[in-house]
Amino acid sequence: MYVKCSVKGCLWRISARVGRKSTPFLRVATFINEHVHNAQDNLRVEHCSSASLIASIIIDEVNDHIDRRPNDIRKTLERDYGVKLTYKQAYRAKQKALEDIHGRPDQSYMLIPWICERLKETDNKTVAKWVGNTNNTFERAFIAYGCCIEGFIAGARHVLYIDGCHLSGPYKETLLLASAYDADNELLPFAIAIVKGETLEDWTWFSYMIKEIVGSMELTIVSDRHNAIIGVVQAIFGGERHAYCYRHVKENFSAQMIKLNRGKRKTSGKAREERLQYLDAIAYARLDTEFDGAMDNMRKFNPQLFEWLLNHGDVERWALSKFPFKRWDNITTNLAESFNAWMLKERRYNVAQLIHEHREKVACSKHSNE
C-alpha cells in the first residue's frame, strides 16, 4: 500500500506491506510526516469515482437499505467524505454494491436448477421446476411450497387470484403469481413463477403447473381480462370458472363514461360517483331480482352505459348473482395486488435471492399462523 499527499510538490507519504501471510497487519516501510502546505487550504481533493471504489464504501449501507436511492447516496457521500458524484455515478456504484452482495445476474441464473432440486429435497411436497432453452439457459422457474399447497387444498376456499408484475432488479422480467384467502381471510401465497413476460406461452406453462398440483379439484380463477389469461383458463380450467376482477371492470366503465362525455360539459364528481354506485349495485346484488332492479336503474339513468354493459361488460363474469360458482364476496384481484406489495422489496433482487427471500417470508408467515 502506498499513499501520498495529493497536493503537488508535497512530501507527505506513507508505504506499508504485509509482514507475513499469516498476519492481517501491515508493516510501515516509509513514513514522511511533513506537509509543505496548510492542510486547511487544500481540503478540495480530486477523487477516483470508479464504481468499484464507491461500492466498497456504500456496500454496508446498501445491504441494510436496499431501497436507498442514488440521490440519497450522493448526499451521504458528500456529507461524510466530501465526495461529489453525479446521479449516474451513484447509480452505477449502487448496482456494483448489489452485485457484490448478491452476485451477478448471470451467476444467479446458474443457481436455479440447484435451488429447485434443493427445495424438493427439503420438502418432497414442494413443487419446484425450471425450464431452459436449447443452451440450457434459464427461461422459467415455478415454485409452490408444500405448506402452501397443503393449506390451500385442505383449508382454503378453492379460488385462486392470479396476476403478473414486473421485476425491477437485474433480471427485468415478470413475476407471475397465484394466491388465495386462508380460513382467516388473510393472504395465502400459493405459487410464483419467474418468466419472460405475460405471454400466452408463459401463462399456459404457469397454469398447467397449477393444474398438475390441484388435479381434478374444481377451481375458480379470478384475474383481470388479460387476453392471454382468458384463452389459457378456457383451455386448462374451463372458461365457465373464470371470474373477472370487478376493479378492472370499474376502470373500463369509467373510461367508457369519459368517452361518452367527450366534447360535452364537464361532468361533476358527484355525477361520476353516482354512476359508479349504480354499477356497484349491479355487482353486489345477491338475488336475481336485485340484479334485474339494479340493471333497470342503470338503463333509466344512462341508456348508453347500460348498452355498453350488455355488449362489452361481461356481466356474468363479475356480478355476484350471475357468476355460477362461489366467490365469497371477493370479486376483485386486490389479494393479488396485496401479494405484489408483499413482494415489493424482493422484486428488486436477482432471481436466486428473490426465491430465497420469498421462501423465508412464506416460512415466517406459516410459523406466525401456527
Side-chain angles (χ1 to χ4, degrees), residues 138-198:
F138 165 76
E139 282 193 336
R140 305 187 195 106
F142 175 95
I143 303 214
Y145 298 106
C147 59
C148 299
I149 295 172
E150 287 184 331
F152 178 76
I153 293 175
R157 304 153 195 168
H158 295 165
V159 181
L160 277 182
Y161 302 81
I162 63 175
D163 198 7
C165 61
H166 293 292
L167 300 178
S168 52
Y171 181 64
K172 298 186 183 299
E173 301 298 341
T174 301
L175 179 72
L176 304 183
L177 54 98
S179 50
Y181 286 99
D182 65 13
D184 294 322
N185 217 36
E186 295 181 352
L187 170 66
L188 174 66
F190 182 76
I192 61 170
I194 298 124
V195 298
K196 289 183 176 179
E198 291 194 67

Short mmCIF file of all heavy atoms in Angstrom, two decimals, residues 138-198:
data_model
loop_
_atom_site.label_atom_id
_atom_site.label_comp_id
_atom_site.label_asym_id
_atom_site.label_seq_id
_atom_site.Cartn_x
_atom_site.Cartn_y
_atom_site.Cartn_z
N PHE A 138 -31.41 -20.53 -18.32
CA PHE A 138 -32.66 -20.37 -17.57
C PHE A 138 -33.68 -19.53 -18.34
O PHE A 138 -33.37 -18.46 -18.85
CB PHE A 138 -32.34 -19.71 -16.23
CG PHE A 138 -33.55 -19.17 -15.53
CD1 PHE A 138 -34.43 -20.02 -14.89
CD2 PHE A 138 -33.81 -17.80 -15.49
CE1 PHE A 138 -35.54 -19.53 -14.25
CE2 PHE A 138 -34.92 -17.30 -14.86
CZ PHE A 138 -35.79 -18.17 -14.23
N GLU A 139 -34.92 -20.00 -18.40
CA GLU A 139 -36.01 -19.26 -19.04
C GLU A 139 -37.18 -19.04 -18.09
O GLU A 139 -37.75 -17.97 -18.04
CB GLU A 139 -36.51 -19.99 -20.29
CG GLU A 139 -35.61 -19.80 -21.50
CD GLU A 139 -36.28 -20.27 -22.77
OE1 GLU A 139 -37.21 -21.11 -22.69
OE2 GLU A 139 -35.89 -19.78 -23.85
N ARG A 140 -37.55 -20.11 -17.35
CA ARG A 140 -38.69 -20.02 -16.44
C ARG A 140 -38.42 -20.82 -15.17
O ARG A 140 -37.70 -21.80 -15.21
CB ARG A 140 -39.96 -20.60 -17.07
CG ARG A 140 -40.36 -20.03 -18.40
CD ARG A 140 -41.73 -20.60 -18.80
NE ARG A 140 -42.00 -20.36 -20.21
CZ ARG A 140 -41.97 -21.30 -21.13
NH1 ARG A 140 -41.65 -22.55 -20.79
NH2 ARG A 140 -42.24 -21.03 -22.39
N ALA A 141 -38.99 -20.37 -14.08
CA ALA A 141 -38.92 -21.14 -12.83
C ALA A 141 -40.28 -21.06 -12.14
O ALA A 141 -40.90 -20.00 -12.10
CB ALA A 141 -37.83 -20.58 -11.91
N PHE A 142 -40.73 -22.18 -11.60
CA PHE A 142 -42.02 -22.27 -10.91
C PHE A 142 -41.78 -22.83 -9.52
O PHE A 142 -41.05 -23.81 -9.35
CB PHE A 142 -42.97 -23.19 -11.68
CG PHE A 142 -44.29 -23.43 -10.98
CD1 PHE A 142 -45.39 -22.64 -11.29
CD2 PHE A 142 -44.43 -24.43 -10.03
CE1 PHE A 142 -46.61 -22.86 -10.65
CE2 PHE A 142 -45.63 -24.65 -9.39
CZ PHE A 142 -46.73 -23.86 -9.70
N ILE A 143 -42.40 -22.21 -8.51
CA ILE A 143 -42.23 -22.68 -7.13
C ILE A 143 -43.57 -22.62 -6.39
O ILE A 143 -44.26 -21.60 -6.41
CB ILE A 143 -41.22 -21.81 -6.37
CG1 ILE A 143 -39.92 -21.82 -7.11
CG2 ILE A 143 -41.12 -22.22 -4.92
CD1 ILE A 143 -38.68 -21.75 -6.40
N ALA A 144 -43.94 -23.74 -5.78
CA ALA A 144 -45.09 -23.80 -4.88
C ALA A 144 -44.67 -24.64 -3.68
O ALA A 144 -44.35 -25.82 -3.84
CB ALA A 144 -46.30 -24.41 -5.58
N TYR A 145 -44.64 -24.03 -2.51
CA TYR A 145 -44.14 -24.71 -1.31
C TYR A 145 -45.18 -25.67 -0.75
O TYR A 145 -46.40 -25.42 -0.83
CB TYR A 145 -43.73 -23.69 -0.26
CG TYR A 145 -42.62 -22.80 -0.74
CD1 TYR A 145 -42.86 -21.48 -1.09
CD2 TYR A 145 -41.32 -23.28 -0.87
CE1 TYR A 145 -41.85 -20.66 -1.56
CE2 TYR A 145 -40.30 -22.47 -1.33
CZ TYR A 145 -40.57 -21.16 -1.67
OH TYR A 145 -39.57 -20.37 -2.15
N GLY A 146 -44.69 -26.76 -0.18
CA GLY A 146 -45.57 -27.80 0.34
C GLY A 146 -46.59 -27.29 1.34
O GLY A 146 -47.76 -27.68 1.31
N CYS A 147 -46.16 -26.39 2.22
CA CYS A 147 -47.09 -25.87 3.25
C CYS A 147 -48.22 -25.07 2.61
O CYS A 147 -49.36 -25.12 3.06
CB CYS A 147 -46.32 -25.01 4.25
SG CYS A 147 -45.46 -23.58 3.54
N CYS A 148 -47.89 -24.34 1.52
CA CYS A 148 -48.91 -23.56 0.83
C CYS A 148 -49.88 -24.48 0.10
O CYS A 148 -51.11 -24.26 0.11
CB CYS A 148 -48.26 -22.61 -0.17
SG CYS A 148 -47.14 -21.40 0.59
N ILE A 149 -49.35 -25.52 -0.53
CA ILE A 149 -50.20 -26.48 -1.24
C ILE A 149 -51.16 -27.16 -0.27
O ILE A 149 -52.37 -27.26 -0.52
CB ILE A 149 -49.33 -27.52 -1.97
CG1 ILE A 149 -48.51 -26.85 -3.08
CG2 ILE A 149 -50.19 -28.64 -2.54
CD1 ILE A 149 -47.47 -27.76 -3.71
N GLU A 150 -50.62 -27.65 0.85
CA GLU A 150 -51.46 -28.32 1.85
C GLU A 150 -52.52 -27.38 2.41
O GLU A 150 -53.68 -27.76 2.58
CB GLU A 150 -50.58 -28.86 2.97
CG GLU A 150 -49.75 -30.07 2.60
CD GLU A 150 -48.98 -30.60 3.78
OE1 GLU A 150 -48.63 -29.81 4.68
OE2 GLU A 150 -48.73 -31.82 3.83
N GLY A 151 -52.10 -26.15 2.71
CA GLY A 151 -53.04 -25.17 3.26
C GLY A 151 -54.16 -24.85 2.30
O GLY A 151 -55.33 -24.74 2.70
N PHE A 152 -53.82 -24.74 1.02
CA PHE A 152 -54.85 -24.40 0.03
C PHE A 152 -55.82 -25.56 -0.17
O PHE A 152 -57.03 -25.37 -0.18
CB PHE A 152 -54.18 -24.04 -1.30
CG PHE A 152 -55.17 -23.72 -2.39
CD1 PHE A 152 -55.84 -22.51 -2.41
CD2 PHE A 152 -55.44 -24.65 -3.40
CE1 PHE A 152 -56.76 -22.21 -3.40
CE2 PHE A 152 -56.36 -24.36 -4.39
CZ PHE A 152 -57.02 -23.13 -4.40
N ILE A 153 -55.29 -26.75 -0.32
CA ILE A 153 -56.15 -27.91 -0.60
C ILE A 153 -57.02 -28.27 0.60
O ILE A 153 -58.21 -28.58 0.46
CB ILE A 153 -55.29 -29.11 -1.05
CG1 ILE A 153 -54.64 -28.81 -2.41
CG2 ILE A 153 -56.13 -30.38 -1.12
CD1 ILE A 153 -53.68 -29.88 -2.88
N ALA A 154 -56.44 -28.18 1.79
CA ALA A 154 -57.16 -28.67 2.97
C ALA A 154 -58.02 -27.62 3.66
O ALA A 154 -59.07 -27.95 4.22
CB ALA A 154 -56.15 -29.23 3.98
N GLY A 155 -57.58 -26.34 3.65
CA GLY A 155 -58.28 -25.39 4.49
C GLY A 155 -58.65 -24.07 3.85
O GLY A 155 -59.11 -23.16 4.56
N ALA A 156 -58.49 -23.92 2.55
CA ALA A 156 -58.79 -22.63 1.91
C ALA A 156 -59.95 -22.79 0.94
O ALA A 156 -60.31 -23.90 0.53
CB ALA A 156 -57.56 -22.11 1.16
N ARG A 157 -60.56 -21.65 0.60
CA ARG A 157 -61.58 -21.66 -0.44
C ARG A 157 -60.88 -21.87 -1.77
O ARG A 157 -59.85 -21.27 -2.03
CB ARG A 157 -62.31 -20.31 -0.44
CG ARG A 157 -62.91 -19.98 0.90
CD ARG A 157 -63.03 -18.48 1.10
NE ARG A 157 -63.26 -18.17 2.49
CZ ARG A 157 -63.19 -16.94 3.00
NH1 ARG A 157 -62.87 -15.93 2.22
NH2 ARG A 157 -63.40 -16.74 4.28
N HIS A 158 -61.44 -22.68 -2.61
CA HIS A 158 -60.77 -23.08 -3.83
C HIS A 158 -60.96 -22.05 -4.94
O HIS A 158 -61.53 -22.32 -6.00
CB HIS A 158 -61.25 -24.46 -4.27
CG HIS A 158 -60.86 -25.53 -3.28
ND1 HIS A 158 -61.42 -26.78 -3.27
CD2 HIS A 158 -59.96 -25.51 -2.26
CE1 HIS A 158 -60.89 -27.50 -2.28
NE2 HIS A 158 -60.00 -26.74 -1.66
N VAL A 159 -60.48 -20.85 -4.63
CA VAL A 159 -60.47 -19.73 -5.58
C VAL A 159 -59.05 -19.18 -5.62
O VAL A 159 -58.48 -18.84 -4.58
CB VAL A 159 -61.44 -18.61 -5.16
CG1 VAL A 159 -61.43 -17.49 -6.19
CG2 VAL A 159 -62.85 -19.16 -4.98
N LEU A 160 -58.46 -19.11 -6.80
CA LEU A 160 -57.12 -18.57 -6.96
C LEU A 160 -57.18 -17.23 -7.68
O LEU A 160 -57.87 -17.09 -8.69
CB LEU A 160 -56.23 -19.53 -7.75
CG LEU A 160 -55.57 -20.69 -7.00
CD1 LEU A 160 -54.68 -21.48 -7.94
CD2 LEU A 160 -54.77 -20.19 -5.80
N TYR A 161 -56.43 -16.28 -7.14
CA TYR A 161 -56.34 -14.94 -7.74
C TYR A 161 -54.97 -14.83 -8.40
O TYR A 161 -53.94 -14.95 -7.73
CB TYR A 161 -56.52 -13.88 -6.65
CG TYR A 161 -57.84 -14.02 -5.92
CD1 TYR A 161 -57.99 -14.96 -4.89
CD2 TYR A 161 -58.94 -13.26 -6.27
CE1 TYR A 161 -59.21 -15.12 -4.24
CE2 TYR A 161 -60.16 -13.41 -5.62
CZ TYR A 161 -60.28 -14.34 -4.60
OH TYR A 161 -61.50 -14.49 -3.96
N ILE A 162 -54.96 -14.65 -9.72
CA ILE A 162 -53.70 -14.66 -10.45
C ILE A 162 -53.43 -13.28 -11.06
O ILE A 162 -54.35 -12.55 -11.41
CB ILE A 162 -53.67 -15.75 -11.54
CG1 ILE A 162 -54.74 -15.50 -12.60
CG2 ILE A 162 -53.85 -17.12 -10.92
CD1 ILE A 162 -54.67 -16.47 -13.77
N ASP A 163 -52.15 -12.98 -11.16
CA ASP A 163 -51.75 -11.67 -11.70
C ASP A 163 -50.28 -11.75 -12.07
O ASP A 163 -49.59 -12.74 -11.76
CB ASP A 163 -51.99 -10.57 -10.65
CG ASP A 163 -52.01 -9.18 -11.28
OD1 ASP A 163 -51.97 -9.08 -12.52
OD2 ASP A 163 -52.05 -8.19 -10.52
N GLY A 164 -49.78 -10.72 -12.70
CA GLY A 164 -48.36 -10.63 -13.03
C GLY A 164 -47.83 -9.25 -12.71
O GLY A 164 -48.58 -8.27 -12.72
N CYS A 165 -46.55 -9.16 -12.39
CA CYS A 165 -45.93 -7.87 -12.11
C CYS A 165 -44.49 -7.90 -12.61
O CYS A 165 -43.88 -8.97 -12.72
CB CYS A 165 -45.99 -7.52 -10.63
SG CYS A 165 -45.11 -8.69 -9.57
N HIS A 166 -43.95 -6.74 -12.89
CA HIS A 166 -42.58 -6.65 -13.41
C HIS A 166 -41.57 -6.72 -12.27
O HIS A 166 -41.80 -6.20 -11.19
CB HIS A 166 -42.39 -5.35 -14.18
CG HIS A 166 -43.19 -5.28 -15.45
ND1 HIS A 166 -42.93 -6.09 -16.53
CD2 HIS A 166 -44.26 -4.53 -15.79
CE1 HIS A 166 -43.80 -5.83 -17.50
NE2 HIS A 166 -44.62 -4.88 -17.07
N LEU A 167 -40.46 -7.38 -12.54
CA LEU A 167 -39.33 -7.38 -11.62
C LEU A 167 -38.49 -6.14 -11.91
O LEU A 167 -38.32 -5.75 -13.06
CB LEU A 167 -38.49 -8.64 -11.80
CG LEU A 167 -39.21 -9.96 -11.55
CD1 LEU A 167 -38.28 -11.14 -11.81
CD2 LEU A 167 -39.75 -10.03 -10.13
N SER A 168 -37.98 -5.52 -10.86
CA SER A 168 -37.23 -4.27 -11.04
C SER A 168 -35.76 -4.43 -10.72
O SER A 168 -35.02 -3.46 -10.68
CB SER A 168 -37.83 -3.18 -10.13
OG SER A 168 -37.94 -3.63 -8.79
N GLY A 169 -35.30 -5.66 -10.50
CA GLY A 169 -33.90 -5.90 -10.20
C GLY A 169 -33.10 -6.13 -11.48
O GLY A 169 -33.50 -5.72 -12.57
N PRO A 170 -31.98 -6.82 -11.37
CA PRO A 170 -31.13 -7.05 -12.54
C PRO A 170 -31.76 -7.97 -13.58
O PRO A 170 -31.36 -7.96 -14.73
CB PRO A 170 -29.87 -7.69 -11.94
CG PRO A 170 -30.30 -8.25 -10.63
CD PRO A 170 -31.37 -7.35 -10.13
N TYR A 171 -32.75 -8.77 -13.15
CA TYR A 171 -33.45 -9.64 -14.10
C TYR A 171 -34.80 -9.00 -14.36
O TYR A 171 -35.78 -9.24 -13.67
CB TYR A 171 -33.61 -11.04 -13.51
CG TYR A 171 -34.31 -12.03 -14.40
CD1 TYR A 171 -33.75 -12.41 -15.62
CD2 TYR A 171 -35.51 -12.60 -14.03
CE1 TYR A 171 -34.39 -13.33 -16.44
CE2 TYR A 171 -36.15 -13.53 -14.83
CZ TYR A 171 -35.59 -13.89 -16.04
OH TYR A 171 -36.21 -14.80 -16.85
N LYS A 172 -34.89 -8.12 -15.34
CA LYS A 172 -36.08 -7.30 -15.54
C LYS A 172 -37.11 -8.04 -16.38
O LYS A 172 -37.35 -7.72 -17.54
CB LYS A 172 -35.69 -5.97 -16.18
CG LYS A 172 -34.75 -5.15 -15.31
CD LYS A 172 -34.49 -3.79 -15.89
CE LYS A 172 -33.49 -3.00 -15.05
NZ LYS A 172 -33.94 -2.76 -13.70
N GLU A 173 -37.72 -9.06 -15.79
CA GLU A 173 -38.72 -9.82 -16.49
C GLU A 173 -40.03 -9.76 -15.71
O GLU A 173 -40.38 -8.71 -15.22
CB GLU A 173 -38.24 -11.26 -16.69
CG GLU A 173 -36.94 -11.35 -17.49
CD GLU A 173 -37.03 -10.80 -18.91
OE1 GLU A 173 -38.16 -10.67 -19.42
OE2 GLU A 173 -35.99 -10.52 -19.50
N THR A 174 -40.72 -10.86 -15.57
CA THR A 174 -42.06 -10.83 -14.97
C THR A 174 -42.22 -11.90 -13.91
O THR A 174 -41.73 -13.02 -14.07
CB THR A 174 -43.13 -11.02 -16.07
OG1 THR A 174 -42.99 -9.98 -17.04
CG2 THR A 174 -44.53 -10.97 -15.49
N LEU A 175 -42.91 -11.55 -12.85
CA LEU A 175 -43.27 -12.49 -11.79
C LEU A 175 -44.75 -12.79 -11.92
O LEU A 175 -45.59 -11.89 -11.81
CB LEU A 175 -42.96 -11.88 -10.42
CG LEU A 175 -43.31 -12.74 -9.20
CD1 LEU A 175 -42.34 -13.90 -9.08
CD2 LEU A 175 -43.29 -11.90 -7.93
N LEU A 176 -45.09 -14.05 -12.20
CA LEU A 176 -46.48 -14.49 -12.20
C LEU A 176 -46.80 -15.06 -10.83
O LEU A 176 -45.95 -15.70 -10.21
CB LEU A 176 -46.72 -15.56 -13.28
CG LEU A 176 -46.35 -15.20 -14.72
CD1 LEU A 176 -46.73 -16.34 -15.65
CD2 LEU A 176 -47.00 -13.90 -15.15
N LEU A 177 -47.99 -14.83 -10.36
CA LEU A 177 -48.32 -15.26 -9.00
C LEU A 177 -49.75 -15.75 -8.91
O LEU A 177 -50.62 -15.34 -9.68
CB LEU A 177 -48.09 -14.12 -8.02
CG LEU A 177 -48.80 -12.79 -8.34
CD1 LEU A 177 -50.08 -12.68 -7.54
CD2 LEU A 177 -47.89 -11.63 -8.04
N ALA A 178 -49.95 -16.65 -7.98
CA ALA A 178 -51.29 -17.15 -7.66
C ALA A 178 -51.42 -17.16 -6.14
O ALA A 178 -50.52 -17.63 -5.44
CB ALA A 178 -51.49 -18.55 -8.22
N SER A 179 -52.51 -16.63 -5.64
CA SER A 179 -52.71 -16.56 -4.19
C SER A 179 -54.18 -16.80 -3.88
O SER A 179 -55.03 -16.78 -4.76
CB SER A 179 -52.26 -15.20 -3.64
OG SER A 179 -52.83 -14.13 -4.38
N ALA A 180 -54.44 -17.04 -2.60
CA ALA A 180 -55.81 -17.34 -2.16
C ALA A 180 -56.03 -16.74 -0.78
O ALA A 180 -55.10 -16.22 -0.16
CB ALA A 180 -56.02 -18.86 -2.13
N TYR A 181 -57.28 -16.82 -0.33
CA TYR A 181 -57.61 -16.44 1.05
C TYR A 181 -57.58 -17.69 1.91
O TYR A 181 -58.11 -18.74 1.52
CB TYR A 181 -59.01 -15.82 1.12
CG TYR A 181 -59.10 -14.41 0.57
CD1 TYR A 181 -59.58 -14.19 -0.71
CD2 TYR A 181 -58.72 -13.32 1.34
CE1 TYR A 181 -59.67 -12.91 -1.22
CE2 TYR A 181 -58.81 -12.03 0.84
CZ TYR A 181 -59.29 -11.83 -0.44
OH TYR A 181 -59.38 -10.55 -0.94
N ASP A 182 -56.96 -17.57 3.09
CA ASP A 182 -56.97 -18.71 4.00
C ASP A 182 -58.24 -18.67 4.86
O ASP A 182 -59.14 -17.84 4.63
CB ASP A 182 -55.71 -18.74 4.86
CG ASP A 182 -55.59 -17.54 5.81
OD1 ASP A 182 -56.61 -16.80 5.99
OD2 ASP A 182 -54.51 -17.33 6.38
N ALA A 183 -58.32 -19.56 5.85
CA ALA A 183 -59.52 -19.66 6.68
C ALA A 183 -59.78 -18.40 7.49
O ALA A 183 -60.91 -18.15 7.91
CB ALA A 183 -59.42 -20.87 7.61
N ASP A 184 -58.72 -17.60 7.74
CA ASP A 184 -58.87 -16.35 8.48
C ASP A 184 -59.04 -15.15 7.56
O ASP A 184 -58.92 -14.01 7.99
CB ASP A 184 -57.64 -16.12 9.37
CG ASP A 184 -57.53 -17.17 10.47
OD1 ASP A 184 -58.58 -17.56 10.99
OD2 ASP A 184 -56.40 -17.59 10.78
N ASN A 185 -59.31 -15.41 6.28
CA ASN A 185 -59.49 -14.36 5.28
C ASN A 185 -58.23 -13.53 5.07
O ASN A 185 -58.29 -12.34 4.78
CB ASN A 185 -60.66 -13.44 5.65
CG ASN A 185 -61.44 -13.01 4.43
OD1 ASN A 185 -61.60 -13.77 3.48
ND2 ASN A 185 -61.91 -11.78 4.43
N GLU A 186 -57.07 -14.16 5.22
CA GLU A 186 -55.79 -13.49 5.01
C GLU A 186 -55.07 -14.11 3.82
O GLU A 186 -55.45 -15.17 3.32
CB GLU A 186 -54.94 -13.59 6.28
CG GLU A 186 -55.53 -12.85 7.47
CD GLU A 186 -54.65 -12.93 8.70
OE1 GLU A 186 -53.64 -13.69 8.67
OE2 GLU A 186 -54.96 -12.26 9.71
N LEU A 187 -54.02 -13.44 3.39
CA LEU A 187 -53.27 -13.87 2.21
C LEU A 187 -52.63 -15.25 2.41
O LEU A 187 -51.92 -15.47 3.39
CB LEU A 187 -52.19 -12.84 1.89
CG LEU A 187 -51.15 -13.22 0.83
CD1 LEU A 187 -51.82 -13.36 -0.54
CD2 LEU A 187 -50.03 -12.21 0.77
N LEU A 188 -52.88 -16.14 1.46
CA LEU A 188 -52.20 -17.43 1.41
C LEU A 188 -51.49 -17.52 0.06
O LEU A 188 -52.13 -17.77 -0.96
CB LEU A 188 -53.20 -18.59 1.55
CG LEU A 188 -52.60 -19.99 1.38
CD1 LEU A 188 -51.63 -20.33 2.50
CD2 LEU A 188 -53.70 -21.04 1.28
N PRO A 189 -50.17 -17.29 0.03
CA PRO A 189 -49.46 -17.40 -1.25
C PRO A 189 -49.47 -18.85 -1.71
O PRO A 189 -49.20 -19.76 -0.93
CB PRO A 189 -48.04 -16.92 -0.90
CG PRO A 189 -47.91 -17.13 0.57
CD PRO A 189 -49.28 -16.95 1.16
N PHE A 190 -49.80 -19.08 -2.97
CA PHE A 190 -49.89 -20.45 -3.48
C PHE A 190 -48.70 -20.80 -4.37
O PHE A 190 -48.04 -21.81 -4.16
CB PHE A 190 -51.19 -20.63 -4.26
CG PHE A 190 -51.38 -22.03 -4.79
CD1 PHE A 190 -51.76 -23.05 -3.94
CD2 PHE A 190 -51.17 -22.32 -6.12
CE1 PHE A 190 -51.91 -24.36 -4.42
CE2 PHE A 190 -51.33 -23.61 -6.62
CZ PHE A 190 -51.70 -24.63 -5.76
N ALA A 191 -48.41 -19.98 -5.37
CA ALA A 191 -47.31 -20.29 -6.29
C ALA A 191 -46.80 -19.02 -6.95
O ALA A 191 -47.54 -18.04 -7.10
CB ALA A 191 -47.77 -21.29 -7.35
N ILE A 192 -45.53 -19.05 -7.33
CA ILE A 192 -44.94 -17.98 -8.12
C ILE A 192 -44.19 -18.59 -9.30
O ILE A 192 -43.81 -19.76 -9.26
CB ILE A 192 -43.96 -17.10 -7.29
CG1 ILE A 192 -42.79 -17.93 -6.78
CG2 ILE A 192 -44.68 -16.39 -6.16
CD1 ILE A 192 -41.66 -17.11 -6.18
N ALA A 193 -43.98 -17.78 -10.31
CA ALA A 193 -43.17 -18.19 -11.45
C ALA A 193 -42.42 -16.97 -11.97
O ALA A 193 -42.97 -15.86 -12.01
CB ALA A 193 -44.01 -18.80 -12.55
N ILE A 194 -41.17 -17.16 -12.34
CA ILE A 194 -40.37 -16.10 -12.95
C ILE A 194 -40.25 -16.44 -14.42
O ILE A 194 -39.72 -17.49 -14.79
CB ILE A 194 -38.99 -15.98 -12.30
CG1 ILE A 194 -39.15 -15.61 -10.82
CG2 ILE A 194 -38.15 -14.91 -12.98
CD1 ILE A 194 -38.52 -16.52 -9.88
N VAL A 195 -40.79 -15.56 -15.28
CA VAL A 195 -40.87 -15.82 -16.71
C VAL A 195 -40.45 -14.57 -17.49
O VAL A 195 -40.19 -13.52 -16.92
CB VAL A 195 -42.30 -16.24 -17.13
CG1 VAL A 195 -42.71 -17.53 -16.44
CG2 VAL A 195 -43.30 -15.13 -16.80
N LYS A 196 -40.43 -14.71 -18.81
CA LYS A 196 -40.03 -13.58 -19.66
C LYS A 196 -41.09 -12.48 -19.69
O LYS A 196 -40.76 -11.30 -19.75
CB LYS A 196 -39.74 -14.07 -21.08
CG LYS A 196 -38.47 -14.90 -21.19
CD LYS A 196 -38.21 -15.28 -22.63
CE LYS A 196 -36.89 -16.03 -22.75
NZ LYS A 196 -36.62 -16.43 -24.16
N GLY A 197 -42.34 -12.84 -19.71
CA GLY A 197 -43.40 -11.83 -19.79
C GLY A 197 -44.77 -12.48 -19.68
O GLY A 197 -44.91 -13.69 -19.56
N GLU A 198 -45.81 -11.65 -19.73
CA GLU A 198 -47.18 -12.15 -19.66
C GLU A 198 -47.64 -12.58 -21.05
O GLU A 198 -48.58 -12.03 -21.62
CB GLU A 198 -48.11 -11.08 -19.07
CG GLU A 198 -47.86 -10.80 -17.60
CD GLU A 198 -48.99 -10.00 -16.98
OE1 GLU A 198 -50.12 -10.54 -16.87
OE2 GLU A 198 -48.76 -8.83 -16.62
#
